[in-house]
């Protein structure tokens, strides 16, 4: 009732197993969190804690004998990656950010853009694309993700090889802390060196620290063309050596992937740029992955083995950001176990062998 009075009945849905709150602006998010905090202080939550304690099982006891009950509130965008964050079941209140959709600010000359957290990632990229620019990220599930969800889950794609990860492209944010306090770390200038870069802490936090309401990114011009080369190998070691040869070469790949498909191991290398650059790099990569390119000596020194089959495509024109999602061969789907492991590129083969 208090939430409905403060935010309006349209922003509160009590018809499901959890009370779903959809604030329409940052002030509404702050109000919702303030009311939740007041409920905790007043005992109105039935004894729920706002944040589960680390290292404890919800509903269990820690080493000191203190009882830890499930959290009162969970944060969700469109829910495309909610299983990744291991959201607890039975949370009485779910705060959805999908109402935060208005207020995109794009300074094309300064290569900076800010977007509300609840706006669809694809919609945001479409708006930037009208000025021939994009946030150079190719996250999985890009069509169903929100801006806040991409940042909260830190879903970088294969193109991080050239453009960096999510945290490298976020230069500012606005967020609401538990209790309703609004913070605004970072800024809207790329060379921002004053103080601690606290907006980076929000990247990958899965909503455990604050509700992200707005994010400011560095943006880049959309490349004119794209292309890729694939090479199939019989074993992982040879594929890994070929992939590392591409990474360590004088060429400039935008994405390098090793994909296990059936009995073969496929290396895929993507390149972006103007038509002449893409044509040249595709040609050189094709030779490099085959083990007999113009830099054959360097390739063999890196241990690149001859491939079973090599195929190339490009230069192809880039119409919008969707053309640059092709490096993601397969995105994780419901019903699969997704393991995300960070290792140095040189240690990938050993890590994969141990994982198997």
């Amino acid at each position: 009732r208090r939430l409905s009075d403060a935010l309006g009945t349209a922003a509160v849905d009590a018809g499901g197993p959890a009370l779903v709150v959809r604030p329409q602006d940052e002030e509404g998010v702050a109000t919702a969190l303030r009311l939740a905090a007041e409920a905790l202080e007043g005992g109105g939550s039935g004894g729920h804690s706002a944040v589960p304690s680390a290292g404890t099982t919800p509903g269990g006891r820690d080493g000191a004998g203190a009882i830890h009950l499930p959290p009162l509130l969970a944060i969700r965008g469109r829910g495309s990656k909610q299983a990744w964050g291991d959201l607890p079941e039975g949370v009485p209140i779910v705060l959805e950010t999908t109402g935060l959709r208005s207020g995109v600010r794009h300074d094309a000359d300064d290569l900076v853009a800010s977007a509300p957290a609840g706006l669809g990632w694809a919609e945001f990229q479409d708006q930037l694309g009208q000025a021939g620019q994009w946030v150079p990220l190719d996250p999985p599930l890009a069509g169903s993700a929100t801006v806040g969800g991409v940042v909260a889950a830190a879903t970088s794609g294969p193109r991080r090889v050239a453009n960096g990860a999510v945290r490298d492209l976020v230069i500012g944010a606005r967020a609401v802390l538990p209790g309703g306090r609004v913070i605004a770390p970072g800024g809207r200038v790329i060379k921002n060196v004053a103080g601690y870069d606290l907006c980076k802490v929000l990247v990958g936090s899965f909503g455990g620290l604050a509700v992200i309401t707005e994010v400011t990114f560095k943006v880049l011009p959309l490349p004119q063309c794209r292309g890729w080369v694939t090479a199939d190998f019989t074993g992982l070691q040879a594929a890994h050596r070929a992939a590392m040869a591409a990474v360590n070469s004088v060429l400039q790949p935008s994405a390098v992937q090793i994909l296990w498909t059936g009995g073969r191991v496929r290396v895929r290398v993507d390149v972006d740029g103007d038509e002449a650059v893409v044509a040249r790099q595709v040609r050189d990569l094709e030779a490099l992955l085959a083990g007999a390119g113009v830099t054959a000596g360097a390739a063999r020194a890196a241990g690149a083995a001859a491939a079973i089959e090599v195929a190339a495509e490009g230069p192809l024109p880039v119409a919008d950001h969707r053309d640059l999602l092709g490096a993601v061969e397969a995105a994780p789907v419901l019903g699969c176990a997704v393991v995300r492991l960070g290792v140095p590129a040189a240690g990938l083969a050993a890590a994969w062998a141990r994982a198997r």
Side-chain angles (χ1 to χ4, degrees), residues 106-114 133-134 136 163 167-172 186-195 197 199-200 216-221:
H106 181 199
D107 297 329
D109 292 339
D110 294 332
L111 298 177
V112 171
S114 301
Q133 297 181 350
W134 74 312
N163 302 316
R167 70 185 310 276
D168 301 310
L169 298 170
V170 172
I171 61 174
R188 286 181 53 79
V189 291
I190 294 178
K191 297 188 70 173
N192 186 1
V193 295
D197 198 358
C199 58
K200 299 290 193 290
T216 300
F217 299 91
K218 292 187 287 186
V219 301
L220 290 177

Side-chain angles (χ1 to χ4, degrees), residues 58-232:
R61 294 176 180 267
D62 63 12
I67 297 176
H68 295 271
L69 296 172
L72 171 67
L73 181 141
I75 303 161
R76 181 173 69 200
R78 289 180 175 174
S80 62
K81 296 178 288 293
Q82 63 182 11
W84 296 17
D86 193 24
L87 286 180
E89 297 180 355
V91 177
I93 302 176
V94 174
L95 192 152
E96 281 194 358
T97 61
T98 52
L100 307 175
R101 296 180 49 83
S102 61
V104 173
R105 294 175 291 159
H106 181 199
D107 297 329
D109 292 339
D110 294 332
L111 298 177
V112 171
S114 301
L119 182 66
W121 180 257
E123 299 170 65
F124 176 43
Q125 294 278 50
D126 286 340
Q127 293 190 41
L128 299 180
Q130 295 175 11
Q133 297 181 350
W134 74 312
V135 179
L137 290 171
D138 55 341
L141 306 175
S144 57
T146 61
V147 170
V150 168
V151 174
T155 47
S156 303
R159 275 185 165 77
R160 67 176 293 172
V161 169
N163 302 316
V166 176
R167 70 185 310 276
D168 301 310
L169 298 170
V170 172
I171 61 174
R174 294 184 63 86
V176 184
L177 298 173
R181 179 186 172 190
V182 177
I183 60 172
R188 286 181 53 79
V189 291
I190 294 178
K191 297 188 70 173
N192 186 1
V193 295
Y196 295 107
D197 198 358
L198 295 180
C199 58
K200 299 290 193 290
V201 180
L202 298 174
V203 178
S205 64
F206 281 95
L209 301 175
V211 181
I212 300 170
T213 57
E214 183 186 78
V215 186
T216 300
F217 299 91
K218 292 187 287 186
V219 301
L220 290 177
L222 278 163
Q224 181 187 98
C225 292
R226 61 194 170 100
W228 64 87
V229 179
T230 61
D232 290 349

